[in-house]
Amino acid sequence: MKNDSIPLGFFIHAGVYLAVVGLCAALALSHDPPRHWFVWVAVGWGIGLGAHALAVWRCRARQRDRS
């Protein structure tokens, strides 16, 4: 894996997260009465996104230490 692709992969992951959670929220809130199930999607996927962010941060810290 290239070192330059790490942040790009994270930004793609974050963009897809925002798009999917936004669509889920729009779908859930369009019902009468509104349902709030999309919060579980946001929290569950947010944990994975946070883990990805932590991995990117740790990789960047290792690269700085080697330089």
Side-chain angles (χ1 to χ4, degrees):
M1 180 181 346
K2 290 183 180 178
N3 293 335
D4 295 341
S5 66
I6 294 170
L8 179 61
F10 173 74
F11 288 128
I12 290 171
H13 189 178
V16 171
Y17 169 81
L18 291 173
V20 170
V21 170
L23 289 172
C24 287
L27 178 67
L29 296 174
S30 68
H31 291 287
D32 190 32
R35 307 274 190 224
H36 299 293
W37 54 265
F38 68 92
V39 173
W40 296 108
V41 174
V43 169
W45 197 341
I47 291 170
L49 186 61
H52 193 166
L54 181 62
V56 169
W57 177 76
R58 290 185 69 196
C59 184
R60 290 290 197 184
R62 281 190 207 139
Q63 288 176 354
R64 278 191 299 260
D65 290 344
R66 290 180 188 165
S67 298

